[in-house]
Amino acid sequence: MKTIIVKDEQAGGQVAFEIVAEKLQAGAKVLGLATGSTPLAFYKKLRESDLDFRGLTSVNLDEYVGLAAKDPQSYRYFMDKELFESKPFAQSFLPDGLAEDLTAEVARYNQILDAHPIDVQILGIGQNGHIGFNEPGSDFESRTRVVDLAPSTIAANARFFEEPSQVPKQAISMGIRDIMQAKTIILMAYGSNKAEAVEQLITGPVSSALPASVLQHHADVIIIMDEAAAEKLEA
Ligand code: GLP
């Protein structure tokens, strides 16, 4: 596990951008993408770059159940605005939050993951240590499935919605095993509200109580954080 402490999100986005650019140069074809505030600066760097993604595939971590692609709170909408409209990929996969048959949708997504092994996976981290929407207690062998969001996650994500009651209670999320199969993982964390989770991720026991701690078992993980997110780590 490699750790990099940066001044701020812009610097972190630049570092992540450079790693991704290098991997693409080396032949990476599939990017695993994340939503949330954490990767915003990274996506800005991608948008402003001269990188061309039209020969690449992207696979996103998760989507809320019950939100249409055109809903401004959906992760599909987020990805379109932050990246795909400026930098289209050959194909971009996200779970369909409005699928009538969620079991079939989960199976479809797992087939997509099997067909497109992820070269570089981008991750943020929840304050409770979740990755994707793999909440505390998630099985390390889990694959894509419908998950119930933890009350703390619903509260944390309420800032994006007009009313806390509008926050979906479920999502379709790639599983921990799916994330761990990525060849390289870049996790970014910014702000003191992530410091506890970051400390546990790096120095805590590997436990499903803090899902991100599983990354200690991955051979190629880079953690990019600002000083606030690193404040609980020993020098
Ligand atoms: C969300 C997403 C995660 C994200 C995390 C942190 O609920 N499902 O993929 O990493 O929570 O979000 P943020 O980057 O906004 O702090």
Side-chain angles (χ1 to χ4, degrees):
M1 188 174 272
K2 187 174 167 190
T3 54
I4 302 175
I5 298 179
V6 293
K7 183 164 71 68
D8 55 21
E9 301 182 30
Q10 276 63 40
Q14 177 66 27
V15 172
F17 166 77
E18 285 166 16
I19 297 167
V20 169
E22 199 178 291
K23 295 287 177 190
L24 295 178
Q25 190 81 31
K29 289 274 176 272
V30 183
L31 298 185
L33 300 176
T35 50
S37 3
T38 303
L40 285 173
F42 166 69
Y43 290 137
K44 184 159 188 282
K45 298 284 176 200
L46 293 185
R47 289 198 305 273
E48 291 169 351
S49 74
D50 53 13
L51 292 179
D52 184 351
F53 300 126
R54 284 173 297 182
L56 306 182
T57 296
S58 70
V59 189
N60 259 79
L61 283 169
D62 46 18
E63 178 61 280
Y64 286 119
V65 168
L67 297 192
K70 62 176 184 353
D71 188 313
Q73 305 306 337
S74 75
Y75 286 168
R76 165 61 79 173
Y77 187 93
F78 174 102
M79 290 308 304
D80 286 345
K81 292 288 166 226
E82 296 300 329
L83 191 59
F84 302 150
E85 283 173 7
S86 339
K87 291 281 185 186
F89 284 64
Q91 41 189 358
S92 285
F93 298 108
L94 276 93
D96 176 3
L98 271 194
E100 267 182 38
D101 182 343
L102 289 174
T103 307
E105 177 57 12
V106 160
R108 180 188 77 95
Y109 213 67
N110 280 325
Q111 279 167 10
I112 288 168
L113 291 171
D114 290 340
H116 303 282
I118 295 169
D119 291 304
V120 185
Q121 176 66 53
I122 302 297
L123 291 179
I125 184 168
Q127 291 173 39
N128 63 3
H130 73 223
I131 45 178
F133 269 132
N134 293 285
E135 298 285 22
S138 294
D139 195 316
F140 286 169
E141 289 304 315
S142 55
R143 300 214 58 198
T144 305
R145 66 211 184 287
V146 175
V147 294
D148 294 327
L149 304 189
S152 64
T153 299
I154 294 171
N157 290 357
R159 68 189 195 277
F160 297 111
F161 293 79
E162 278 174 26
E163 292 274 326
S165 63
Q166 291 172 347
V167 188
K169 307 284 185 290
Q170 288 188 312
I172 301 172
S173 179
M174 266 167 59
I176 295 198
R177 188 172 127 199
D178 299 314
I179 293 171
M180 287 295 280
Q181 277 176 344
K183 291 195 191 79
T184 299
I185 297 178
I186 301 172
L187 183 146
M188 290 177 271
Y190 306 118
S192 54
N193 61 337
K194 302 293 175 71
E196 182 76 41
V198 164
E199 196 240 349
Q200 289 296 310
L201 148 63
I202 295 173
T203 65
V206 175
S207 158
S208 65
L210 193 108
S213 65
V214 72
L215 299 177
Q216 290 179 30
H217 287 162
H218 192 283
D220 188 13
V221 177
I222 303 132
I223 314 284
I224 301 171
M225 62 201 134
D226 65 1
E227 282 171 14
E231 71 194 8
K232 289 197 175 353
L233 295 170
E234 305 273 324

